[in-house]
Amino acid sequence: MSCILVIDDSPTVRSTLQFCLQTSGFEVLTAGDGRTGLAKLAEGNPRVDLVLVDFNMPIMDGIAVCRAIRADPSTEKLPIILMTGFATKETLARASAAGFQEVVTKPFVIGKLLADLKRHLAAEDCRCA
């Protein structure tokens, strides 16, 4: 079973994603900000296979989270998907430069999001088993 870390400052988004992902067979960890999310990732139990992170959060935004994950050799190949309600050209450019595999816009369609997650988890360069 793959483990997905959801990092979003909205309790509603976290709980909705947790329910949908668990119902679809994923193990889910959640964090309300980037710093807490990175701490959960560093714990390594369970091992996280993919990160879903919000763009705009207090304490540490999604771009900073992605850069921190990419800077660590043990997580540099981890699939990371950015969630945002503001998919402007600037946001997309910043996400690409930071190393996100994909950007999904809120509100999202759960079926499409699940397909995206499965595609990234199956990718050859994914660090997961």
Side-chain angles (χ1 to χ4, degrees), residues 12-49:
T12 302
V13 171
R14 286 194 315 270
S15 64
T16 300
L17 282 172
Q18 183 171 25
F19 174 78
C20 292
L21 295 172
Q22 285 176 335
T23 302
S24 297
F26 294 102
E27 188 169 351
V28 180
L29 296 175
T30 63
D33 63 73
R35 190 176 308 149
T36 303
L38 289 175
K40 286 190 177 192
L41 184 61
E43 290 171 4
N45 191 11
R47 190 182 91 199
V48 172
D49 298 301

Short mmCIF file of all heavy atoms in Angstrom, two decimals, residues 12-49:
data_model
loop_
_atom_site.label_atom_id
_atom_site.label_comp_id
_atom_site.label_asym_id
_atom_site.label_seq_id
_atom_site.Cartn_x
_atom_site.Cartn_y
_atom_site.Cartn_z
N THR A 12 -10.37 21.23 6.11
CA THR A 12 -11.37 20.63 5.24
C THR A 12 -10.72 19.89 4.09
O THR A 12 -11.09 18.75 3.77
CB THR A 12 -12.34 21.70 4.69
OG1 THR A 12 -12.94 22.37 5.80
CG2 THR A 12 -13.41 21.10 3.81
N VAL A 13 -9.73 20.50 3.45
CA VAL A 13 -9.02 19.84 2.35
C VAL A 13 -8.30 18.60 2.87
O VAL A 13 -8.37 17.53 2.25
CB VAL A 13 -8.03 20.80 1.65
CG1 VAL A 13 -7.14 20.06 0.66
CG2 VAL A 13 -8.79 21.92 0.95
N ARG A 14 -7.62 18.72 4.00
CA ARG A 14 -6.90 17.57 4.56
C ARG A 14 -7.85 16.41 4.86
O ARG A 14 -7.58 15.27 4.48
CB ARG A 14 -6.14 17.96 5.83
CG ARG A 14 -4.91 18.78 5.58
CD ARG A 14 -4.00 18.86 6.80
NE ARG A 14 -4.67 19.12 8.06
CZ ARG A 14 -4.90 20.33 8.56
NH1 ARG A 14 -4.54 21.41 7.89
NH2 ARG A 14 -5.49 20.48 9.74
N SER A 15 -8.94 16.70 5.53
CA SER A 15 -9.85 15.61 5.91
C SER A 15 -10.55 15.01 4.69
O SER A 15 -10.74 13.79 4.62
CB SER A 15 -10.86 16.07 6.96
OG SER A 15 -11.71 17.07 6.44
N THR A 16 -10.91 15.83 3.72
CA THR A 16 -11.55 15.32 2.50
C THR A 16 -10.59 14.42 1.73
O THR A 16 -10.96 13.31 1.32
CB THR A 16 -12.01 16.48 1.60
OG1 THR A 16 -12.96 17.28 2.32
CG2 THR A 16 -12.64 15.97 0.31
N LEU A 17 -9.36 14.88 1.54
CA LEU A 17 -8.38 14.07 0.84
C LEU A 17 -8.05 12.79 1.61
O LEU A 17 -7.92 11.71 1.03
CB LEU A 17 -7.11 14.87 0.56
CG LEU A 17 -7.19 15.83 -0.61
CD1 LEU A 17 -5.94 16.71 -0.66
CD2 LEU A 17 -7.38 15.09 -1.92
N GLN A 18 -7.93 12.91 2.92
CA GLN A 18 -7.63 11.73 3.72
C GLN A 18 -8.72 10.67 3.53
O GLN A 18 -8.42 9.50 3.30
CB GLN A 18 -7.49 12.09 5.20
CG GLN A 18 -7.11 10.91 6.07
CD GLN A 18 -6.76 11.33 7.48
OE1 GLN A 18 -7.20 12.36 7.97
NE2 GLN A 18 -5.97 10.52 8.14
N PHE A 19 -9.97 11.08 3.61
CA PHE A 19 -11.08 10.14 3.43
C PHE A 19 -11.05 9.51 2.04
O PHE A 19 -11.13 8.30 1.89
CB PHE A 19 -12.42 10.85 3.67
CG PHE A 19 -13.59 9.98 3.36
CD1 PHE A 19 -14.00 9.00 4.25
CD2 PHE A 19 -14.28 10.12 2.16
CE1 PHE A 19 -15.08 8.17 3.95
CE2 PHE A 19 -15.35 9.30 1.85
CZ PHE A 19 -15.76 8.32 2.75
N CYS A 20 -10.94 10.35 1.01
CA CYS A 20 -10.96 9.85 -0.37
C CYS A 20 -9.78 8.93 -0.67
O CYS A 20 -9.94 7.88 -1.31
CB CYS A 20 -10.97 11.02 -1.36
SG CYS A 20 -12.50 11.96 -1.34
N LEU A 21 -8.62 9.31 -0.20
CA LEU A 21 -7.43 8.50 -0.47
C LEU A 21 -7.45 7.18 0.31
O LEU A 21 -7.10 6.12 -0.23
CB LEU A 21 -6.16 9.29 -0.16
CG LEU A 21 -5.92 10.51 -1.06
CD1 LEU A 21 -4.74 11.33 -0.54
CD2 LEU A 21 -5.71 10.10 -2.50
N GLN A 22 -7.87 7.23 1.56
CA GLN A 22 -7.96 6.00 2.34
C GLN A 22 -9.00 5.06 1.75
O GLN A 22 -8.78 3.85 1.68
CB GLN A 22 -8.27 6.30 3.81
CG GLN A 22 -7.08 6.85 4.56
CD GLN A 22 -7.39 7.25 5.99
OE1 GLN A 22 -8.53 7.57 6.32
NE2 GLN A 22 -6.37 7.25 6.82
N THR A 23 -10.12 5.61 1.31
CA THR A 23 -11.16 4.81 0.69
C THR A 23 -10.65 4.15 -0.59
O THR A 23 -11.10 3.07 -0.96
CB THR A 23 -12.39 5.70 0.37
OG1 THR A 23 -12.85 6.28 1.59
CG2 THR A 23 -13.52 4.91 -0.26
N SER A 24 -9.69 4.77 -1.23
CA SER A 24 -9.10 4.24 -2.46
C SER A 24 -7.90 3.32 -2.21
O SER A 24 -7.21 2.93 -3.14
CB SER A 24 -8.68 5.39 -3.38
OG SER A 24 -9.82 6.14 -3.75
N GLY A 25 -7.62 3.04 -0.94
CA GLY A 25 -6.58 2.07 -0.61
C GLY A 25 -5.22 2.62 -0.27
O GLY A 25 -4.26 1.87 -0.13
N PHE A 26 -5.11 3.94 -0.13
CA PHE A 26 -3.83 4.54 0.23
C PHE A 26 -3.73 4.72 1.74
O PHE A 26 -4.73 4.94 2.42
CB PHE A 26 -3.67 5.92 -0.43
CG PHE A 26 -3.56 5.88 -1.92
CD1 PHE A 26 -4.65 6.20 -2.70
CD2 PHE A 26 -2.37 5.53 -2.53
CE1 PHE A 26 -4.56 6.17 -4.08
CE2 PHE A 26 -2.27 5.50 -3.92
CZ PHE A 26 -3.38 5.82 -4.69
N GLU A 27 -2.51 4.66 2.23
CA GLU A 27 -2.24 5.10 3.60
C GLU A 27 -1.99 6.60 3.50
O GLU A 27 -1.38 7.07 2.55
CB GLU A 27 -1.01 4.38 4.14
CG GLU A 27 -0.77 4.64 5.60
CD GLU A 27 0.28 3.72 6.18
OE1 GLU A 27 0.70 2.77 5.50
OE2 GLU A 27 0.68 3.98 7.32
N VAL A 28 -2.49 7.36 4.48
CA VAL A 28 -2.41 8.82 4.38
C VAL A 28 -1.86 9.41 5.67
O VAL A 28 -2.30 9.07 6.77
CB VAL A 28 -3.80 9.43 4.09
CG1 VAL A 28 -3.71 10.94 3.98
CG2 VAL A 28 -4.40 8.84 2.83
N LEU A 29 -0.90 10.31 5.52
CA LEU A 29 -0.42 11.16 6.60
C LEU A 29 -0.83 12.57 6.24
O LEU A 29 -0.87 12.92 5.06
CB LEU A 29 1.10 11.10 6.72
CG LEU A 29 1.73 9.77 7.10
CD1 LEU A 29 3.25 9.89 7.04
CD2 LEU A 29 1.29 9.34 8.47
N THR A 30 -1.12 13.40 7.24
CA THR A 30 -1.48 14.79 6.95
C THR A 30 -0.67 15.74 7.82
O THR A 30 -0.21 15.38 8.91
CB THR A 30 -2.98 15.05 7.20
OG1 THR A 30 -3.28 14.84 8.58
CG2 THR A 30 -3.86 14.16 6.32
N ALA A 31 -0.52 16.96 7.30
CA ALA A 31 0.16 18.03 8.04
C ALA A 31 -0.50 19.35 7.65
O ALA A 31 -0.90 19.54 6.50
CB ALA A 31 1.64 18.05 7.72
N GLY A 32 -0.58 20.27 8.61
CA GLY A 32 -1.22 21.55 8.39
C GLY A 32 -0.30 22.66 7.91
O GLY A 32 -0.76 23.75 7.61
N ASP A 33 1.00 22.37 7.84
CA ASP A 33 1.94 23.36 7.31
C ASP A 33 3.19 22.63 6.82
O ASP A 33 3.38 21.45 7.10
CB ASP A 33 2.31 24.42 8.37
CG ASP A 33 3.02 23.82 9.57
OD1 ASP A 33 4.20 23.44 9.44
OD2 ASP A 33 2.41 23.74 10.65
N GLY A 34 4.00 23.35 6.06
CA GLY A 34 5.17 22.75 5.44
C GLY A 34 6.20 22.21 6.42
O GLY A 34 6.75 21.13 6.21
N ARG A 35 6.45 22.93 7.47
CA ARG A 35 7.45 22.49 8.45
C ARG A 35 7.04 21.16 9.10
O ARG A 35 7.85 20.25 9.23
CB ARG A 35 7.66 23.57 9.50
CG ARG A 35 8.86 23.28 10.39
CD ARG A 35 9.15 24.39 11.38
NE ARG A 35 9.24 25.69 10.73
CZ ARG A 35 8.90 26.84 11.32
NH1 ARG A 35 8.46 26.84 12.56
NH2 ARG A 35 9.01 27.97 10.68
N THR A 36 5.77 21.07 9.48
CA THR A 36 5.26 19.83 10.07
C THR A 36 5.30 18.69 9.05
O THR A 36 5.64 17.56 9.38
CB THR A 36 3.83 20.03 10.60
OG1 THR A 36 3.83 21.10 11.54
CG2 THR A 36 3.30 18.78 11.27
N GLY A 37 4.96 19.01 7.80
CA GLY A 37 5.02 18.00 6.74
C GLY A 37 6.41 17.45 6.54
O GLY A 37 6.60 16.24 6.41
N LEU A 38 7.41 18.33 6.52
CA LEU A 38 8.79 17.87 6.36
C LEU A 38 9.23 17.02 7.55
O LEU A 38 9.96 16.04 7.38
CB LEU A 38 9.73 19.06 6.19
CG LEU A 38 9.62 19.80 4.85
CD1 LEU A 38 10.52 21.04 4.86
CD2 LEU A 38 9.98 18.88 3.69
N ALA A 39 8.77 17.37 8.75
CA ALA A 39 9.10 16.57 9.93
C ALA A 39 8.50 15.17 9.82
O ALA A 39 9.16 14.17 10.13
CB ALA A 39 8.60 17.27 11.20
N LYS A 40 7.26 15.08 9.34
CA LYS A 40 6.64 13.76 9.16
C LYS A 40 7.37 12.96 8.09
O LYS A 40 7.55 11.75 8.23
CB LYS A 40 5.16 13.91 8.82
CG LYS A 40 4.34 14.33 10.01
CD LYS A 40 2.86 14.23 9.75
CE LYS A 40 2.12 14.60 11.03
NZ LYS A 40 0.70 14.26 10.95
N LEU A 41 7.80 13.62 7.04
CA LEU A 41 8.54 12.95 5.98
C LEU A 41 9.86 12.41 6.52
O LEU A 41 10.26 11.30 6.21
CB LEU A 41 8.79 13.93 4.83
CG LEU A 41 9.47 13.38 3.59
CD1 LEU A 41 8.65 12.27 2.95
CD2 LEU A 41 9.70 14.51 2.60
N ALA A 42 10.51 13.19 7.35
CA ALA A 42 11.81 12.79 7.91
C ALA A 42 11.68 11.61 8.87
O ALA A 42 12.63 10.84 9.03
CB ALA A 42 12.46 13.98 8.62
N GLU A 43 10.53 11.46 9.51
CA GLU A 43 10.33 10.35 10.45
C GLU A 43 10.46 9.01 9.75
O GLU A 43 10.95 8.06 10.34
CB GLU A 43 8.96 10.47 11.13
CG GLU A 43 8.85 11.62 12.10
CD GLU A 43 7.43 11.84 12.60
OE1 GLU A 43 6.53 11.05 12.26
OE2 GLU A 43 7.23 12.81 13.34
N GLY A 44 9.98 8.94 8.52
CA GLY A 44 10.16 7.74 7.72
C GLY A 44 9.34 6.53 8.12
O GLY A 44 9.57 5.44 7.63
N ASN A 45 8.39 6.68 9.00
CA ASN A 45 7.58 5.54 9.40
C ASN A 45 6.12 5.95 9.47
O ASN A 45 5.74 6.63 10.42
CB ASN A 45 8.04 5.00 10.75
CG ASN A 45 7.42 3.66 11.07
OD1 ASN A 45 6.81 3.03 10.25
ND2 ASN A 45 7.59 3.25 12.32
N PRO A 46 5.29 5.64 8.50
CA PRO A 46 5.61 4.84 7.32
C PRO A 46 6.34 5.67 6.28
O PRO A 46 6.28 6.89 6.31
CB PRO A 46 4.23 4.43 6.80
CG PRO A 46 3.34 5.54 7.19
CD PRO A 46 3.88 6.05 8.52
N ARG A 47 6.99 4.97 5.39
CA ARG A 47 7.70 5.65 4.31
C ARG A 47 6.70 6.30 3.37
O ARG A 47 5.77 5.67 2.91
CB ARG A 47 8.56 4.66 3.55
CG ARG A 47 9.51 5.39 2.59
CD ARG A 47 10.33 4.43 1.80
NE ARG A 47 9.59 4.16 0.58
CZ ARG A 47 9.79 3.11 -0.19
NH1 ARG A 47 10.67 2.22 0.15
NH2 ARG A 47 9.10 2.95 -1.28
N VAL A 48 6.91 7.56 3.08
CA VAL A 48 6.03 8.31 2.19
C VAL A 48 6.44 8.04 0.75
O VAL A 48 7.62 8.08 0.40
CB VAL A 48 6.10 9.82 2.51
CG1 VAL A 48 5.33 10.63 1.48
CG2 VAL A 48 5.57 10.09 3.91
N ASP A 49 5.45 7.76 -0.11
CA ASP A 49 5.70 7.46 -1.51
C ASP A 49 5.38 8.62 -2.45
O ASP A 49 5.84 8.64 -3.59
CB ASP A 49 4.89 6.24 -1.93
CG ASP A 49 5.27 5.00 -1.15
OD1 ASP A 49 6.46 4.62 -1.21
OD2 ASP A 49 4.42 4.44 -0.45
#
